[in-house]
Every structure is written in C-alpha cells, then in structure tokens.
C-alpha cells in the first residue's frame, strides 16, 4: 500500500532551487534510501516530508489523503540532532515521549525499552552533554521511535559514525524495518545496497533514478572488466578505446575498469593483447557495475 | 498532561538546574534591600568617609518609607530590567540556534504551546523575583525607616509587575524573531528605553503607554490612589501583550527550525 506520495515538490531558498519539482512515493513496509551527493537536496526533501519545512509548491499525500500535520505519524532523526545537554538521556526521552502524547507512565516504559534497544541503558542517568557522538546518534534514533511512528525518516543516520558505530546503527535499522517503513538518506552507497529495498537517487534537486534496488541494478547493470597492472599501462589502455566492443575505459593509477558491450569476445581479444604485448598484470577480473558506478554516472552526467 | 504543561515543567526544571531560580531572586533581594539600608546609614557613612570639615552640621532630610520604595522600584526599572532581559534573551533564540527547538517541534506540539510555555516560564521567574525582592525591601524599610501599609506595597507591586511582564514579553518576541542572543538583548533594551523616554517626554499624549505603569506605581505608593488614566493604560498594555504573543507564535511557525 502507498504510505506517502510527493507530487511536484519544489523548494526555493531565495535564488537557489534546492528541490526542483520531484515526484515519488513510498510503499508501506519498505526501507527506502535516498542517495545523492552533497547539496543534492536530500535534507531539504526530508524536512518537507517531516512537516518542518513548507514546500514552495507541490503536495504531500499520506495514506491517500492530503497531508495536514504529519508530525504524529513521523519519527525524524535530523542530520545533526540536538538535545538539552543538561538533561539525562532518560529524562530527554520521557520529555519527548510526553510531547508525542504518551502519558507519563507510557513514556517512562517506552523510554526504558528504547534505551535498552539502542544500548544506552547504562548511560541513561548521565547528562547528555557528556555523551559521545555515537551515543547522541543512538539517542536520536530512540527519540524518533518513541511514539511508534508509521514512517521513520533518518537523515544521514550513519555518516558521522565510526565503522563500529555504523555497524550498530545499521543493525538497529535492520531490526526496525521489520515493523516500520523507513526512509533514510545517505551518501554511503554500501549501506544503501545493504539494507534498502528501494532507492531514490537525487542529483541537483531532481530525482535521477528510482525503483526497487533489484530492478535498478538489473536495469543499469553492465558487465565490466577490471584489470590491475604492476606498472602503468596507459598507452595500451588508450589504444583499446578504439575497439568496437569497448564502450568506456576508466583509469585509476594502475587499475582500470572497462565497460564492454560484448563480454564474451571482448575479454578474449583483450587477454590476447595483454599476452602479446607482455603487459605485466596482477589481476584480471570480470564483474558487474555496482551502485557506486551507477551513482558516479548519474552525478557526473 | 497537556504538551504545554510538559514544556512548562521543562522550563522550570531548566531554571532550577542552571540556578536562575536562585540568582535572579537574590539579585532582586540585594537591589531591594540596599536602598533602605543605605538610606538609614547614610548619615553615619558620610560621617566616616565624608571628610566633611569639623563642625559641619548635616541636616539630612530622612526620606519617608514610600520614597525609599520608589527608589527601589526605579532601580528595578534599570538594573532589574537589565538582568531580566539578559537572562531571558536566549529563551527561544538559543534553542533555535542549537537546533533543539526543531527536535521539540518535530513532535506534534502546537506552536502556541511552545511559545506560551516559554512565556509562562518567564512570567514565573519575573513575578517571583519581583515579589520576593520587593517584600524584602519593604521589610527592611519598615525595620529601619518607617512602616508602609502592606496594602500599598501589594497594589504597587502588582501594577509594577505589569511593566516587567511587558518587558519580558518583548524579550520573548525579539528572541523569537532574531537569532543572536546579544542582538536580542540590545534591541529589547533599546525598545524599552525608547518607550520609557517617549512616554515621559510626551506624557500628555502617551497616557495609554505601558511605560506609564511605573508612574501609576509611584502614585499608588505615595497616595494610595489610582490615577484615572490607569484603566486606559492597563487595557492597551494587555492588548499589546496579546498582539505580541500572537505575532511571536505566527513568526515562530514560519521559521526554519532544523538547520
Ligand atoms: N536554509 C537554506 N537557505 C538557503 N539555501 C539552502 C538552505 N538549506 C539548503 N539550502 C541549499 O539547498 C541545496 C540543497 O541542500 P540540502 O541540505 O538539501 O542538501 P543535501 O543533499 O542534504 O546535502 P548534504 O549531503 O551535504 O547533507 C544546497 O545548495 C543548499 O545550499
Ligand atoms: Mg543533508
């Protein structure tokens, strides 16, 4: 079922067109990632969905109805969450829970549950001012979940974390996605590939590509040949661009990735070339373009 | 419990934790007590430090109790106002700056509840500080100089509190529309000063001004009678307060709260 639909959403800040009329929808129960480089308009889009920022034009429907105040249905973790540093973690959650219309008892109970879940039980009585960045991020996640929102919106939930913290938050998200629809932005493509069902790729205020992760990968996937040399082989790499079966050559130092139109014949000819010229290679691998390749293509286009 | 109550309790808790509930009343007590004490000891102080030539006979007219309290209120009008504005300047702007206002408003909280809980918090600390300080002042005045009827103290205190409420409401307004704490304080003080000055210069045409509350306070203190123009000033002040609060809420709604 369609949970949320954005139609022709536009946001202008003075002369900057941050979001240029985007259309997309989110299915209930899915985990959707919003990808895009810095300044693509991810945060602006998420803020509009959360109700904290009024769109310049366009509309947002929630469960098929024009949205008025979505805040009750949405849990939001901002890119840079802020807290009352003089409160303890537990106090803050109970406070936020009551603001989300839980009564005192429910708020206490739910706070304990969530503190447990995000691994802050031992720190619950400490002042938030003394929390580390990772702890604040986890507290931010807990406050977003406190009123059991229908849609959880997370703005770059893992960008500021170390690999361990990232792992923890991703695991939590994987758990949460069993019960709640999630929309999260990230520029860590690996994370998107790992846990999302659907992806939206934004670039310069527009949605460039959208769809389920599987179908997008399917549609844009290309066979690719990766060769690693012991020393530079730029001359040869330049020369192969003239073969009709080669569609793209990317060189990065001693490595090259070559997109082929005809993998079967192409790899034979190239391999033969390498042997004939006695080029010193370390690795010769056939693989598929990744989300990262796709992302780079969209962003550079 | 309504969201307003939750927010108001948070305001109270915050002022307890950062000791505002301690030091603001203490300052009001000190400012209030200093005046009767110094009036009482003035002859002796002059005697000790004055360096007056031998044999000078000093005829200090002893002020009446009401006069001493008038002085106290005029000190509250300067230093008290300054303290209140400085302590209230960040009430909204600091929370917007840190982003925590966004964390609150992302929950289904009415914008009016947020602003009105801030307002109630400011009123609480203002009224408590004024009341405690003024009563302490009255006590020392009675002890050292002359007893003033408590009734007059009460009436004058209530009328004076209307002026202070006006001042903190103005602070809340500027704190909502501007971001830098310093500029909030500066603009508020400037506006308060301008209103007071214009009111005292153009007295005849400014009978409706909230700043006349300080004059009405003096009147009640000295004579026990209320000037007939009080009602007009009272009504316009309330009307202005309502307009300021409504505009604060509306402006707050339009602000971008998460950076
Ligand atoms: N309050 C604002 N005033 C003016 N311009 C803004 C404002 N907020 C965002 N912008 C502009 O809108 C564009 C999109 O910004 P946005 O924060 O949505 O990007 P983003 O995709 O979240 O980037 P990042 O990955 O860096 O977080 C940028 O060009 C930014 O400069
Ligand atoms: Mg962003």
């Amino acid at each position: 079922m369609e949970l949320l639909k954005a139609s022709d959403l536009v946001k202008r800040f003075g002369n900057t067109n941050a979001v240029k009329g985007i259309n997309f929808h989110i299915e209930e129960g899915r985990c959707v990632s919003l990808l895009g480089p810095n300044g693509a308009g991810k945060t602006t889009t998420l803020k509009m969905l959360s109700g904290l920022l009024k769109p310049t034009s366009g509309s947002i429907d929630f469960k098929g109805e024009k949205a008025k105040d979505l805040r009750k249905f949405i849990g939001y973790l901002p890119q840079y969450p802020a807290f009352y540093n003089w409160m303890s973690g537990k106090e803050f959650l109970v406070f936020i829970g009551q603001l989300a219309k839980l009564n005192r008892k429910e708020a206490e109970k739910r706070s304990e549950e969530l503190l447990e879940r995000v691994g802050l039980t031992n720190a619950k009585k400490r002042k938030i001012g003394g929390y580390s960045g990772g702890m604040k991020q986890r507290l931010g996640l807990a406050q977003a979940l406190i009123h059991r929102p229908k849609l959880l919106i997370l703005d770059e939930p893992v960008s500021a974390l170390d690999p361990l913290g990232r792992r923890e938050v991703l695991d939590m998200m994987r758990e949460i996605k069993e019960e709640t629809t999630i929309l999260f932005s990230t520029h860590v493509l690996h994370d998107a590939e790992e846990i999302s069902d659907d992806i939206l790729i934004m670039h310069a205020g527009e949605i460039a590509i959208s769809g389920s992760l599987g179908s997008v990968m399917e549609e844009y996937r290309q066979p690719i040949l990766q060769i690693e040399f012991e020393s530079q082989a730029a001359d040869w790499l330049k020369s192969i661009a003239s073969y009709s079966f080669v569609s793209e050559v990317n060189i990065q130092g001693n490595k090259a990735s070559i997109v082929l139109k005809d993998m079967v014949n192409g790899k034979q000819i190239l391999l033969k070339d390498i042997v004939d010229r006695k080029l010193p290679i370390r690795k010769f691998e056939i693989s598929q373009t990744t989300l990262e390749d796709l992302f780079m293509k969209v962003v550079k286009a | 419990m309504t969201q307003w109550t939750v927010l108001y309790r948070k305001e109270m808790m915050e002022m307890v934790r950062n000791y505002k509930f301690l030091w603001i009343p203490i300052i009001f007590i000190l400012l209030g007590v200093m005046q009767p004490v110094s009036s009482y000891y003035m002859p002796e102080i002059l005697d000790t430090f004055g360096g007056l030539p031998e044999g000078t006979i000093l005829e200090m007219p002893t002020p009446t109790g009401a006069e001493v309290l008038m002085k106290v209120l005029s000190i509250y009008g300067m230093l008290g106002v300054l303290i209140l504005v400085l302590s209230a300047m960040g009430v909204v702007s600091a929370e917007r700056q840190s982003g925590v206002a966004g964390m609150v408003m992302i929950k289904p909280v009415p914008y009016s509840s947020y602003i009105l809980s801030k307002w109630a918090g400011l009123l609480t600390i203002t009224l408590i500080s004024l009341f405690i300080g003024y009563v302490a002042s009255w006590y020392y005045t009675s002890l050292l100089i002359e007893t003033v009827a408590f009734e007059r103290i009460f009436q004058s205190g209530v009328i004076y509190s209307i002026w202070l409420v006006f001042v903190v409401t103005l602070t809340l307004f500027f704190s909502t529309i501007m971001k830098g704490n310093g500029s909030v304080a500066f603009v508020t003080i400037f506006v308060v000063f301008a209103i007071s000055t214009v009111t005292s210069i153009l007295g005849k045409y400014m009978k409706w001004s909230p700043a006349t509350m300080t004059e009405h306070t003096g009147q009640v203190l000295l004579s026990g009678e209320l000037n007939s123009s009080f009602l007009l000033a009272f009504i316009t002040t309330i009307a202005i307060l309502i307009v300021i609060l409504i505009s604060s809420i509306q402006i707050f709604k339009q602000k971008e709260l998460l950076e």
Side-chain angles (χ1 to χ4, degrees):
Chain A
M1 205 187 98
E2 188 178 278
L3 185 64
L4 182 139
K5 189 173 98 188
S7 319
D8 299 317
L9 220 48
V10 173
K11 183 70 197 181
R12 262 193 294 275
F13 296 106
N15 288 331
T16 353
N17 253 342
V19 173
K20 302 172 184 165
I22 57 175
N23 292 283
F24 64 91
H25 69 272
I26 292 171
E27 291 285 320
E28 194 156 9
R30 309 285 280 184
C31 177
V32 184
S33 61
L34 179 62
L35 307 171
N38 290 133
K42 304 184 293 295
T43 299
T44 309
T45 304
L46 296 182
K47 277 193 212 162
M48 287 192 284
L49 298 185
S50 76
L52 265 195
L53 191 64
K54 279 206 186 62
T56 306
S57 65
S59 65
I60 298 165
D61 294 351
F62 192 80
K63 291 199 162 166
E65 282 173 43
K66 199 152 167 45
K68 279 205 203 87
D69 190 353
L70 284 185
R71 294 181 296 170
K72 350 190 227 293
F73 307 110
I74 287 179
Y76 188 88
L77 172 64
Q79 190 164 1
Y80 309 104
F83 305 93
Y84 293 111
N85 286 332
W86 52 270
M87 284 190 188
S88 71
K90 167 95 189 274
E91 281 171 342
F92 186 79
L93 285 186
V94 173
F95 167 71
I96 288 289
Q98 287 175 296
L99 291 183
K101 299 197 174 158
L102 302 181
N103 66 37
R104 173 108 206 168
K105 254 208 176 126
E106 287 164 352
E108 297 258 355
K109 189 159 154 280
R110 185 83 179 128
S111 300
E112 289 291 349
E113 253 171 61
L114 287 168
L115 284 164
E116 175 80 43
R117 185 157 183 185
V118 300
L120 286 175
T121 305
N122 289 329
K124 69 179 182 186
K125 294 206 168 117
R126 276 167 45 196
K127 296 269 172 288
I128 299 171
Y131 280 17
S132 72
M135 292 164 85
K136 284 186 183 167
Q137 201 70 15
R138 283 180 282 155
L139 185 62
L141 197 57
Q143 68 77 32
L145 285 168
I146 196 124
H147 55 310
R148 302 177 199 278
K150 291 265 179 293
L151 173 64
L152 182 65
I153 298 182
L154 311 171
D155 196 359
E156 313 245 354
V158 297
S159 301
L161 302 177
D162 67 12
L164 201 69
R166 234 186 76 205
R167 193 70 267 145
E168 285 172 1
V169 170
L170 283 176
D171 288 342
M172 275 174 223
M173 285 169 64
R174 205 193 308 277
E175 260 178 61
I176 296 163
K177 90 181 209 191
E178 298 304 316
E179 5 180 312
T180 308
T181 311
I182 302 182
L183 171 63
F184 74 105
S185 76
T186 180
H187 44 236
V188 186
L189 299 162
H190 187 78
D191 298 343
E193 234 171 331
E194 192 179 322
I195 64 169
S196 51
D197 305 313
D198 297 326
I199 60 170
L200 297 164
I201 302 186
M202 261 189 110
H203 178 49
E206 284 170 300
I207 290 191
I209 291 174
S210 66
S212 77
L213 183 66
S215 68
V216 168
M217 295 300 285
E218 193 68 40
E219 187 176 341
Y220 293 91
R221 191 177 339 233
Q222 282 177 303
I224 192 169
L225 192 58
Q226 285 178 312
I227 311 176
E228 193 178 328
F229 300 90
E230 273 165 18
S231 59
Q232 298 242 348
D235 290 343
W236 177 69
L237 286 169
K238 273 183 199 126
S239 72
I240 62 169
S242 55
Y243 283 125
S244 61
F245 55 83
V246 172
S247 70
E248 210 181 312
V249 182
N250 290 304
I251 308 173
Q252 288 161 319
N254 288 349
K255 290 183 197 167
S257 53
I258 302 160
V259 184
L260 295 180
K261 284 176 201 139
D262 176 2
M263 183 54 84
V264 183
N265 292 318
K267 71 178 180 208
Q268 300 288 352
I269 295 169
L270 291 181
L271 201 51
K272 187 160 173 295
D273 250 21
I274 289 169
V275 174
D276 288 348
R277 293 171 186 237
K278 298 204 171 67
L279 292 171
I281 59 165
R282 193 177 281 152
K283 197 168 105 185
F284 186 92
E285 187 183 60
I286 293 154
S287 60
Q288 304 268 311
T289 48
T290 59
L291 191 55
E292 181 163 343
D293 298 311
L294 174 59
F295 181 83
M296 294 312 271
K297 203 162 124 191
V298 167
V299 170
K300 283 182 182 157
Chain B
M1 211 161 29
T2 64
Q3 291 145 306
W4 181 87
T5 325
V6 175
L7 288 165
Y8 176 69
R9 282 184 34 172
K10 174 252 150 195
E11 288 300 310
M12 292 297 111
M13 193 156 79
E14 186 167 17
M15 286 194 280
V16 169
R17 298 253 178 111
N18 63 20
Y19 302 109
K20 274 191 190 171
F21 253 125
L22 194 63
W23 64 263
I24 300 180
I26 286 181
I27 290 178
F28 271 78
I29 291 172
L30 289 178
L31 293 176
V33 169
M34 236 155 53
Q35 198 56 36
V37 170
S38 66
S39 300
Y40 180 72
Y41 287 109
M42 192 50 81
E44 284 167 49
I45 294 170
L46 283 180
D47 235 17
T48 318
F49 301 105
L52 295 169
E54 226 31 63
T56 315
I57 296 167
L58 203 59
E59 278 297 325
M60 288 278 290
T62 328
T64 65
E67 281 167 355
V68 171
L69 289 170
M70 290 263 296
K71 282 236 180 66
V72 169
L73 288 179
S74 91
I75 290 171
Y76 282 170
M78 292 182 292
L79 294 177
V81 162
L82 189 67
I83 298 295
L84 287 175
V85 171
L86 288 178
S87 80
M89 63 189 178
V91 66
V92 176
S93 62
E95 291 199 357
R96 274 182 59 211
Q97 223 158 23
S98 79
V100 72
M103 299 291 278
V104 168
M105 297 316 298
I106 202 78
K107 298 297 171 205
V109 177
Y111 289 81
S112 55
S113 300
Y114 181 87
I115 294 290
L116 292 179
S117 72
K118 294 280 181 194
W119 187 62
L122 291 180
L123 253 53
T124 309
I125 184 76
T126 303
L127 297 180
I128 286 180
S129 303
L130 175 67
F131 181 77
I132 294 181
Y134 199 38
V135 165
S137 177
W138 169 72
Y139 175 74
Y140 276 92
T141 307
S142 309
L143 209 63
L144 300 174
I145 293 167
E146 163 188 39
T147 309
V148 178
F150 186 76
E151 199 183 278
R152 286 197 190 176
I153 294 298
F154 182 75
Q155 288 171 344
S156 60
V158 168
I159 297 174
Y160 195 73
S161 67
I162 299 173
W163 170 240
L164 291 188
V165 166
F166 177 78
V167 170
V168 292
T169 309
L170 213 55
T171 317
L172 172 68
F173 174 72
F174 287 119
S175 189
T176 307
I177 66 173
M178 298 194 299
K179 253 195 165 170
N181 291 347
S183 41
V184 171
F186 180 80
V187 172
T188 311
I189 297 277
F190 179 80
V191 170
V192 168
F193 177 77
I195 293 176
S196 306
T197 312
V198 170
T199 303
S200 69
I201 292 175
L202 301 176
K204 250 196 290 187
Y205 309 102
M206 299 289 286
K207 290 206 185 306
W208 52 269
S209 163
T212 58
M213 286 302 159
T214 56
E215 291 157 25
H216 292 299
T217 308
Q219 186 88 26
V220 166
L221 205 49
L222 293 177
S223 68
E225 304 274 318
L226 256 182
N227 200 312
S228 60
S229 64
F230 172 75
L231 197 62
L232 172 68
F234 180 72
I235 290 171
T236 47
T237 305
I238 299 297
I240 294 173
L241 287 182
I242 291 172
V243 170
I244 295 179
L245 286 174
I246 292 176
S247 348
S248 303
I249 294 166
Q250 293 306 327
I251 292 169
F252 184 62
K253 240 184 234 181
Q254 306 302 325
K255 292 279 179 191
E256 196 183 331
L257 292 174
L258 281 172
E259 300 297 305

